[in-house]
Amino acid sequence: MEQMKVLLRNQGKPDMEDAKAYIATGGYDGLKRALEMDGAEIIEELKKSGLRGRGGAGFPTWLKLKFAFDTESAEKYIVCNADEGEPGTNKDRVLMSCDPHSLLEGMVIAGRAIGAHVGYIYLRAEYPQVRPILQRAIDSAYTCHALGKHIFGSDFEFDISIRSGAGAYVCGEETALFESIEGKRGEPRYKPPFPGVHGLFGKPTALNNVETLANISHIFRNGAIWFAGIGTKGSTGTKLFTVAGNVAHRGVYEFPMGINLKALIYENCGGIADGKGLLAVQTGGSSGPFIRPDQIDIPLDIDFVAASGGRLGCGTVFVIDDSNCILDIVRNTQDFFAYESCGQCTPCREGTIRVAQIVDKICRGDGSMVDVRALQELIDMLRVAPLCGLGHSSAVPIASVLQNFMPEVEKHLDGDACVWCNTQKGGRS
Ligand SMILES: Cc1cc2nc3c(=O)[nH]c(=O)nc-3n(C[C@H](O)[C@H](O)[C@H](O)COP(=O)(O)O)c2cc1C
Ligand code: SF4
């Protein structure tokens, strides 16, 4: 299947930080159209487009804006989640680098929709090269009246500034992100109240992923009907996929939603690197499940992947060749969660460490079925007890290994140490 470049349409073009260059490509036409509409009309257009969040959960974007729209307040905020902490994921970095104004334009339209006049981009600290690109784009947008007072001669005003993260994965969680911007420790809040009612600085806030917001600019430039005609019925538009791991051609690709996972790996990304076989694929980032080679003939559509026990998440596809051991790979993933747990709530703080320790024990050949049963109990607890999505999703990778790769787990039990696992550096926790 051919790539369909909508979000990446300006990739490779020079000077895309310059608002004038962006305008020459039809940029800001969507904003000009939105400035003639009121908030309710903008939200209705987004509803018609079917746009769903690209940050992980696939929540309908129009509904999120509507919550903030419906809440009375003199101050409201638009926040762009550019934390991109999911290991192996860099689609937001690519998008912000090649077409920063599409993000700014989407943020202004979202601000117009809910009646916000201030937007923040929460940028991952590990992307120092993106910050000057975004800043130059913001400065240029002010010069061209796409930001500031009287945007394109209208009565609408909107300001955008950048805030840096400090390197914690949990700060990608929306409420931890608010705490971080507010200068506090990045720990998730209890919900409800939800951000549409009580978000940044306690005000109604709409927080969206970079890709979601950039999509808004294209929807208003080309129309909701055009957008709804791309992809599948429940997952409209295109999607950026970061394909990582042992694949011949790694990178960020853009396809209509619903592209077949197997075709993506074998036809578009050149198959498994170095002529090796496929061991497993993890979809949706570290918090996604590992699936077997016979399970990859599926469309990458938000609902379909969820119904088959997976998750599309942020669209990361992590390919693992058969020179690896799945137990060693999942040990690494569970170490990551134990390390990144913010420690605020006991089930996650203790549970993620215990899971990582047991997986390491099994890797070393010291585990038994008693440990597998203990893992299952911990998984059941982690699915429900933690406060935020980090704790919940930490159970997904190990649960998928117990479900899809039990023969490999059994091979490690009762003294059968795996040579591969023992030569790797595991057990960080
Ligand atoms: C631990 C954790 C980390 C997250 N990291 C990110 C991230 O880096 N970027 C992102 O857009 N969403 C991330 N999310 C999801 C956000 O909380 C939020 O749902 C999302 O940004 C909403 O945007 P969307 O509706 O446009 O998808 C994370 C969630 C959790 C629980
Ligand atoms: S689930 Fe984990 S990351 Fe989330 S608040 Fe609790 S300890 Fe922190």
Side-chain angles (χ1 to χ4, degrees), residues 99-318:
D99 207 4
H101 285 281
S102 65
L103 166 61
L104 306 184
E105 184 177 4
M107 289 180 73
V108 185
I109 296 172
R112 171 84 177 171
I114 68 167
H117 300 286
V118 177
Y120 293 105
I121 301 172
Y122 186 82
L123 182 67
R124 176 175 173 76
E126 295 88 340
Y127 284 170
Q129 69 280 47
V130 180
R131 194 174 174 126
I133 296 173
L134 280 177
Q135 193 57 57
R136 280 196 292 272
I138 290 170
D139 295 345
S140 172
Y142 276 104
T143 310
C144 289
H145 308 288
L147 281 176
K149 295 191 191 306
H150 305 294
I151 291 179
F152 293 128
S154 72
D155 60 354
F156 185 63
E157 59 180 272
F158 197 81
D159 293 303
I160 295 181
S161 54
I162 304 170
R163 295 289 181 272
S164 274
Y169 173 67
V170 74
C171 286
E173 194 280 338
E174 54 191 5
T175 59
L177 191 157
F178 296 150
E179 295 285 298
S180 175
I181 293 184
E182 289 176 17
K184 301 179 210 148
R185 224 181 133 103
E187 289 178 341
R189 300 175 184 167
Y190 285 88
K191 287 186 272 190
F194 291 99
V197 175
H198 183 97
L200 184 62
F201 302 118
K203 305 295 178 191
T205 303
L207 173 140
N208 284 104
N209 172 258
V210 173
E211 187 184 343
T212 314
L213 288 160
N215 265 310
I216 294 178
S217 67
H218 298 291
I219 290 168
F220 279 81
R221 190 165 50 84
N222 296 315
I225 305 292
W226 162 83
F227 190 85
I230 304 169
T232 64
K233 193 162 176 283
S235 302
T236 54
T238 61
K239 177 81 195 83
L240 297 178
F241 295 99
T242 314
V243 186
N246 306 126
V247 72
H249 308 302
R250 287 187 287 257
V252 174
Y253 296 83
E254 182 172 11
F255 288 101
M257 281 278 197
I259 182 178
N260 182 282
L261 174 58
K262 191 172 182 180
L264 174 65
I265 294 171
Y266 284 96
E267 289 166 28
N268 298 98
C269 300
I272 314 306
D274 306 323
K276 293 189 179 145
L278 178 63
L279 174 75
V281 176
Q282 189 181 31
T283 55
S286 311
S287 46
F290 293 97
I291 56 175
R292 295 186 314 263
D294 62 331
Q295 296 173 310
I296 65 169
D297 197 0
I298 51 167
L300 292 172
D301 155 295
I302 299 170
D303 298 324
F304 190 93
V305 177
S308 55
R311 70 172 65 177
L312 188 65
C314 52
T316 302
V317 173
F318 176 40

Side-chain angles (χ1 to χ4, degrees), residues 170 188 340-346 348-349 386-392:
V170 74
E340 293 293 344
S341 166
C342 81
Q344 186 183 185
C345 65
T346 312
C348 170
R349 184 183 62 239
L387 193 153
C388 88
L390 188 150
H392 301 146

Side-chain angles (χ1 to χ4, degrees), residues 23-39:
I23 288 168
T25 70
Y28 289 117
D29 282 357
L31 172 57
K32 286 174 191 161
R33 193 176 148 229
L35 288 170
E36 288 165 11
M37 301 161 92
D38 63 23

